[in-house]
């Protein structure tokens, strides 16, 4: 997606550890017009998939997921990150391990908000190692809902997320694919859309 690519080139900053800082339009301040365009783009890509619900994870997945849900005319649910290890009986809960931060986080969705047979589209900001997506897939599976696909804004294709999702047979659509962040430069994959 050209507009997102340009925004990354204009405002993104590469930090040590292969991290792309995009807090001026995605991770803290949000470019609402860009999010709207992103919502339309994903809605187009999944137009024929009879999506019942969009599922995301707090915090940075919420803004794009909301726009996708608005375009598709369906509800949006986001998984919450909980610090406490006390697990209520009425939530689906998974433990996520982030390679980037080397931390475990418990992620929960209230059972009332996912129903067996519902067709779910996952939306998130980044696909890095795929741990967040894998966690959401586990939650969908526990709810006996159907994972139709994953839409991410920025895929870091030099990390292992896509391989993990291909193994799990989940259709993955990314708006921009980055093949390298070496030496402070953002290099997009040739096949990035
Ligand atoms: P994974 O889910 O694909 O395995 O990602 P990983 O655990 O490696 O990433 C942990 C957090 O870091 C996630 O956000 C993820 O979106 C974010 N992240 C990964 N790579 C980058 C990057 O290059 N730039 C930025 N800005 N974020 C990156 P999170 O901790 O859940 O944060 P938030 O959603 O609350 O903002």
């Amino acid at each position: 997606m050209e507009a997102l690519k340009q925004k990354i080139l204009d405002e993104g900053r590469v930090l040590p550890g292969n991290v792309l800082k995009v807090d001026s339009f995605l991770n803290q301040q949000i470019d609402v017009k860009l999010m709207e365009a992103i919502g339309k783009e994903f809605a187009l890509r999944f137009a024929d998939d009879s999506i019942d619900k969009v599922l995301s994870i707090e915090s940075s997945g919420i803004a794009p997921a909301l726009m996708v849900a608005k375009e598709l005319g369906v509800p949006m649910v986001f998984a919450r990150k909980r610090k406490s290890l006390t697990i209520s009986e009425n939530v689906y809960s998974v433990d996520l391990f982030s390679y980037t931060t080397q931390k475990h986080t418990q992620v929960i969705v209230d059972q009332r908000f996912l129903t067996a047979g519902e067709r779910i589209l996952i939306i998130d900001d980044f696909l890095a190692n795929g741990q967040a997506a894998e966690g959401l897939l586990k939650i969908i599976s526990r709810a006996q809902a159907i994972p139709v696909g994953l839409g991410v804004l920025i895929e870091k294709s030099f990390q292992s997320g896509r391989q993990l999702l291909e193994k799990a047979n989940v259709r993955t659509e990314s708006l921009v694919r980055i093949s390298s962040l070496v030496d402070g430069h953002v290099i997009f994959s040739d096949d990035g859309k």
Side-chain angles (χ1 to χ4, degrees):
M1 186 192 193
E2 213 43 52
L4 178 58
K5 220 181 217 182
Q6 198 52 53
K7 195 78 173 171
I8 291 169
L9 289 173
D10 291 345
E11 297 183 21
R13 276 202 295 135
V14 180
L15 302 184
N18 281 329
V19 170
L20 177 67
K21 194 170 167 76
V22 286
D23 59 350
S24 67
F25 63 93
L26 179 57
N27 289 147
Q28 184 159 27
Q29 176 169 254
I30 295 179
D31 183 328
V32 178
K33 282 253 173 281
L34 180 63
M35 290 308 129
E36 253 181 348
I38 284 166
K40 286 189 199 320
E41 178 65 29
F42 279 126
L44 260 180
R45 293 192 192 193
F46 288 94
D48 298 329
D49 293 289
S50 307
I51 304 296
D52 292 311
K53 206 166 262 183
V54 173
L55 177 65
S56 190
I57 180 165
E58 70 170 333
S59 53
S60 300
I62 293 176
L66 186 67
M67 294 302 188
V68 178
K70 178 175 176 270
E71 286 301 320
L72 290 171
V74 300
M76 188 278 276
V77 175
F78 65 93
R80 287 185 170 275
K81 291 174 185 163
R82 196 155 72 173
K83 290 186 188 91
S84 154
L85 286 178
T86 324
I87 300 171
S88 140
E89 281 176 10
N90 302 322
V91 295
Y92 300 112
S93 165
V94 292
D95 181 76
L96 294 191
F97 178 71
S98 165
Y99 292 108
T100 309
T101 59
Q102 292 289 306
K103 278 190 191 146
H104 285 272
T105 313
Q106 194 190 18
V107 164
I108 59 165
V109 175
D110 192 302
Q111 293 183 358
R112 287 178 300 148
F113 304 133
L114 286 178
T115 304
E118 276 181 334
R119 295 173 62 78
I120 310 294
L121 171 60
I122 302 172
I123 296 288
D124 206 358
D125 56 345
F126 275 88
L127 175 61
N129 293 301
Q131 296 305 297
E134 193 182 38
L136 294 177
L137 285 169
K138 276 188 196 154
I139 286 176
I140 292 170
S141 158
R142 285 187 199 154
Q144 297 181 316
I146 300 158
V148 175
L150 166 71
V152 293
L153 278 60
I154 303 172
E155 174 182 339
K156 292 160 83 181
S157 52
F158 54 90
Q159 292 185 244
S160 58
R162 180 171 284 269
Q163 285 92 300
L164 192 142
L165 291 157
E166 275 171 3
K167 252 193 197 159
N169 228 353
V170 175
R171 174 181 164 199
T172 302
E173 293 277 341
S174 37
L175 300 184
V176 154
R177 300 182 78 189
I178 291 175
S179 58
S180 164
L181 291 171
V182 173
D183 294 333
H185 297 295
V186 183
I187 309 291
F188 297 102
S189 307
D190 289 343
D191 55 351
K193 288 172 193 157

